[in-house]
Structure formats: C-alpha cells, structure tokens
Amino acid sequence: MSRASDQIRKTIAKHNLIEKGDHIILGLSGGPDSVCLFDVLMELAEEMNLTIHPVHINHKFRPGAAERDQKYVEDLCKSYGVPSQSYVIDCNALAEELGMTSEEAGRKARYDAFFEWADTIYSKTVLSPEPGCAPKIAVAQNADDQAETVLFRILRGTGTDGLAGIAYEREERRGDRSFKVIRPLLDTWRVDIEAHCREKNLNPVIDHTNNEEIYSRNKIRLDLLPHIEEKYNSNIKEGLVRLAGIAAVDREYIWKETEEAYSSLRVMKDSAGMPFGSEKIVLEREGLAQCHEAIRHRLIFKAFGEIGLEKDITAERLEAADNIIEKIQSKKTVEFPHGYKMTVGKGRVTFERR
C-alpha cells in the first residue's frame, strides 16, 4: 500500500467520509490528484461495497489538450470496468454570459455537472429515499491545496472562519435535495500523490497552465510559498495546514453556539400572528444586542444567508449594524450589498431584500 493510499484511508475513517454501500460521484479531471483518488476509491470499492461514478468536465479552456484529457479519463475508466460521464461546457462563453471570471465559471460548471449527475443517480437507482442515502460527491483537493488556500485568504484579509480553509465535508442543497461534498485527499501531500501515480503506472495528464503564473493561486504555489520556505520557514505549508485545523475546531464550536442562539432569537410570526415569508428573517433585538460580537456577527451572516446574501458583507457594514442594534432608538436601517437591508425597530431586527 502506498503512503498516499494509507493516508487517504485514514482520513476517510477519521472523518467518517464514506460508509459501506455508498455511491460516490468523483470529479475526475485526469490530473494526478483525481486519478490517485480514483485508484484508491477503486481499491476500497470491493472492501466497502462502494459504487464509483466518475464525472469529467471538458471546460474547453485548452483546445486539443482538453479533448486529450477527456479521452484519457474515458479510457482510464474503461480499463477499470467503470462507466464514466463526460460533460463538454464552453466555460469562456459561460463566464461572459454570467459576468464572472473564467475560474468562477469553471467551478460553476463542475459543480452543476456533479449535482446533475448526483440527482440522476438518486432518482434512477435503488437508493433509499431516506436523508443521508443520497450519493456523495468526492473532489480531490489535497494538503498542498489547503496550505495555499489559507495563505491566499490571509493575503485577502480573511476573518477567522476563513482561516479554517477547506472543509473535509460540507453539505450542498439543490432544490429539495442535499448532497455531501467530501475531500478524502485533504491530508495527503502532492508529493505522495505523484509517487502513488508513478508506483501504479497511472500516467495522469498534466495541465501545463498549473505551472504558469497566470492566476493568483498559481503565483502563491510557484513563487510565494517557495520564497517563504527558502527564506523564512521551511515548514510553512505544514504550519498553514495546522492553523487550518485549529481554526476549524474553533469555528465548529462558535457556529454551534450561533445555531442555538439563532433558534432562540428567531421570531416566526408578525404581531397579527401571521408567519413571515421565506424572504424575511426577524430576530429579537434585545437578545441580539446582548450576544457577544463574535456570535452576533455570525447571526447576521446566517440571517442574510437564509435569504440569499452569502458574501460581500464587509466589516464596515457589520459595525454599522452593531451601532443600531445596540442602541434603543427610533427605526433605523443599514443597507447591505446587492439590495439587501437590515432594519431595527419595535424590539425586532429584520433582514430582507429591498
């Protein structure tokens, strides 16, 4: 058993990422990370009665190379006797259509494909309709990716939750169904992944744009981290991963407290006894004002998140919100990005879209 295989198995067991009988949708790009994960999951498939569903997305970013990658993945899956599903999506056109970067469009294309296939499997197999029996989506971020993510967020001025980096598992909801996204490679270093691929003669494809300083993440990996390792701390990546682990434990505890506070402070009906619609969240002002700032800010994030505002909430807006929550005064409103607002009045704090 290779070092990578051993570590992946330990991560799966420690975080209970996979259970016997699971259906696993695997994002299989053809690169070393996803190919290593595919090979190890196929090792585990017989032991744990798993069904592996590889999904490949041809983003059409690199004409010729993209088609090569797709063929490699399809041939690899055939050699293992596993059917694969390929999607061809023009992500440059998607980025232009939706007004986002090509990176964002690529990510959207990948996860849309994963969720579409997960929904197909859930609907057309003999999976139990019980919650928790839906297929899981496995993606191949590794320990190096974790270190790069944490450093990238520090450079952008992240909050403490951002220091937790990439989660081993998270739940994504699409419509009336939710799927777990799992990352079994998150404790495995890139050097061990590449060694596994060599030992097993897997010959993964290489995306040469990963070695070009064209994206911020590439610059961190190719320039900044090697500079820090050489000049300041040879174990910087291990330190960043350790920081992520510590921050993740703290985040879990604080959010547990936040969820409890949210349940106790939420007001479900108006003064006439009519329930509020799904586009409005109301919390008790006095209880919110008494919360510690760390909890109160997360309550604000959660309330806005429930109605669709999940990013771009700045420290300046949170400070303005604190000011009107903590003071007993006439009705006041703080404007938030993308047409959302928070209004304080009559002992209540209301979050809604204009």
Side-chain angles (χ1 to χ4, degrees):
M1 182 183 299
S2 73
R3 186 169 175 172
S5 179
D6 181 56
Q7 183 58 68
I8 293 166
R9 289 166 180 263
K10 287 178 179 177
T11 299
I12 289 171
K14 180 179 179 180
H15 299 279
N16 195 31
L17 299 181
I18 296 173
E19 299 175 272
K20 286 186 177 181
D22 274 347
H23 284 246
I24 308 293
I25 292 170
L26 170 65
L28 186 54
S29 69
D33 299 339
S34 64
V35 168
C36 173
L37 181 55
F38 172 64
D39 183 67
V40 174
L41 289 178
M42 291 304 298
E43 291 176 359
L44 289 170
E46 187 171 345
E47 299 172 28
M48 300 181 67
N49 191 31
L50 306 177
T51 306
I52 311 300
H53 305 269
V55 174
H56 176 79
I57 294 85
N58 177 347
H59 302 87
K60 300 191 72 174
F61 282 143
R62 299 167 293 122
E67 286 66 38
R68 174 208 64 183
D69 296 355
Q70 181 178 337
K71 184 177 186 306
Y72 168 82
V73 166
E74 291 169 352
D75 290 345
L76 178 69
C77 292
K78 285 178 184 176
S79 72
Y80 280 79
V82 176
S84 62
Q85 178 71 20
S86 294
Y87 291 81
V88 180
I89 303 168
D90 188 339
C91 291
N92 284 323
L94 182 65
E96 185 175 350
E97 176 188 344
L98 299 179
M100 57 177 58
T101 68
S102 58
E103 283 182 288
E104 291 169 334
R107 185 183 187 282
K108 174 176 171 53
R110 286 193 297 277
Y111 278 90
D112 283 352
F114 298 154
F115 288 121
E116 178 182 316
W117 199 239
D119 196 58
T120 300
I121 293 167
Y122 188 84
S123 301
K124 295 185 178 180
T125 67
V126 292
L127 286 172
S128 166
E130 293 296 320
C133 294
K136 295 173 181 175
I137 299 167
V139 291
Q141 283 104 332
N142 60 42
D144 291 80
D145 293 323
Q146 181 73 293
E148 293 160 15
T149 295
V150 174
L151 183 54
F152 179 66
R153 291 181 180 179
I154 290 172
L155 294 174
R156 296 184 68 182
T158 187
T160 54
D161 280 0
L163 293 177
I166 307 167
Y168 290 95
E169 177 182 288
R170 64 183 172 85
E171 191 164 294
E172 283 276 350
R173 176 167 289 277
R174 292 293 173 101
D176 60 348
R177 289 183 181 160
S178 62
F179 300 101
K180 288 182 179 179
V181 178
I182 60 173
R183 296 179 173 88
L185 277 182
L186 210 51
D187 295 322
T188 308
W189 295 100
R190 190 172 289 134
V191 64
D192 295 326
I193 290 167
E194 292 171 351
H196 178 93
C197 291
R198 287 193 300 271
E199 290 170 21
K200 300 294 290 287
N201 197 31
L202 296 171
N203 301 312
V205 295
I206 303 300
D207 180 354
H208 293 289
T209 63
N210 288 333
N211 296 318
E212 300 173 6
E213 295 185 20
I214 54 178
Y215 301 117
S216 296
R217 288 293 295 267
N218 285 22
K219 292 175 183 177
I220 289 171
R221 182 175 66 255
L222 299 172
D223 181 38
L224 182 54
L225 274 171
H227 177 74
I228 295 173
E229 286 175 324
E230 180 184 355
K231 300 292 185 181
Y232 299 98
N233 180 359
S234 61
N235 296 314
I236 180 63
K237 290 192 289 188
E238 290 83 353
L240 289 167
V241 169
R242 188 164 55 250
L243 170 62
I246 294 168
V249 171
D250 291 351
R251 180 181 64 179
E252 181 180 1
Y253 173 75
I254 295 173
W255 273 102
K256 178 176 179 292
E257 295 293 307
T258 300
E259 294 289 347
E260 291 177 3
Y262 190 79
S263 296
S264 66
L265 294 175
R266 187 166 180 184
V267 180
M268 303 302 296
K269 297 180 180 180
D270 63 21
S271 56
M274 298 297 294
F276 293 112
S278 60
E279 297 182 355
K280 178 185 289 188
I281 301 294
V282 179
L283 302 178
E284 296 176 7
R285 189 207 68 81
E286 185 176 353
L288 189 58
Q290 291 175 354
C291 286
H292 188 282
E293 186 177 304
I295 301 296
R296 188 192 311 134
H297 288 173
R298 286 169 173 80
L299 288 167
I300 293 171
F301 277 116
K302 180 171 177 60
F304 275 125
E306 293 274 340
I307 56 174
L309 178 60
E310 298 180 343
K311 60 181 182 178
D312 299 330
I313 298 178
T314 64
E316 178 189 16
R317 293 295 86 198
L318 290 174
E319 183 178 354
D322 284 339
N323 288 336
I324 66 170
I325 290 170
E326 292 173 346
K327 297 175 182 177
I328 299 176
Q329 55 194 343
S330 58
K331 186 175 180 180
K332 295 284 185 180
T333 296
V334 173
E335 302 290 341
F336 278 78
H338 313 301
Y340 290 85
K341 66 176 182 176
M342 186 197 84
T343 302
V344 177
K346 295 184 179 180
R348 294 180 174 182
V349 182
T350 303
F351 302 84
E352 59 190 330
R353 190 167 187 171
R354 295 183 67 85

